Amino acid sequence: MSRKYRHNGWKGRFIITSLAQGILTGKFGPEHKFAEGDHRTKNKLFLKENYARVQTALNQLKPIADRHQTSLGNLALAWLIAQPQTNAIVGARDAEQATDNAKAAEVKLSQEDLKEIDAIGRTVTDRLDDNPVMWNF
């Protein structure tokens, strides 16, 4: 989710679901079943048709992450950090997760990497509707 802000001449975006509810970490495989009542079941990315496209995209992103010796989650964060006027806000369940997320700042993506990641991401996002709200509550 992206929020645009303007303050004293500064303008930018804060991304508050930087890892898309965890889906961009790759920890939820194709057969993952969420517990009843899990809020992710109301997120567009977790709907069956989109979820399959996300899994395909993650498989395509994995070699890029491997090339940079980083995780899929940190690749996603590094991509966000590389976007102009964008700040990523990332949650963490514990100190280890926070420390790992901070390593994304060390990942340096080339323009070619960014273009490749953009193209892969569009295989998912281009099929979403125009409503920027990702949840169907």
Side-chain angles (χ1 to χ4, degrees), residues 42-58:
K42 305 261 191 237
N43 184 305
K44 292 177 192 177
L45 292 176
F46 291 83
L47 298 178
K48 186 176 181 176
E49 64 278 4
N50 296 328
Y51 191 77
R53 280 192 286 277
V54 170
Q55 294 300 315
T56 299
L58 290 172

Side-chain angles (χ1 to χ4, degrees), residues 2-6 10-14:
S2 174
R3 297 270 192 233
K4 293 181 181 182
Y5 291 93
R6 186 180 291 261
W10 177 87
K11 64 180 182 177
R13 291 183 297 168
F14 288 95

Side-chain angles (χ1 to χ4, degrees), residues 61-78:
L61 291 167
K62 183 73 171 118
I64 303 170
D66 291 345
R67 203 165 53 231
H68 288 278
Q69 299 177 330
T70 195
S71 65
L72 283 168
N74 280 351
L75 181 68
L77 295 175

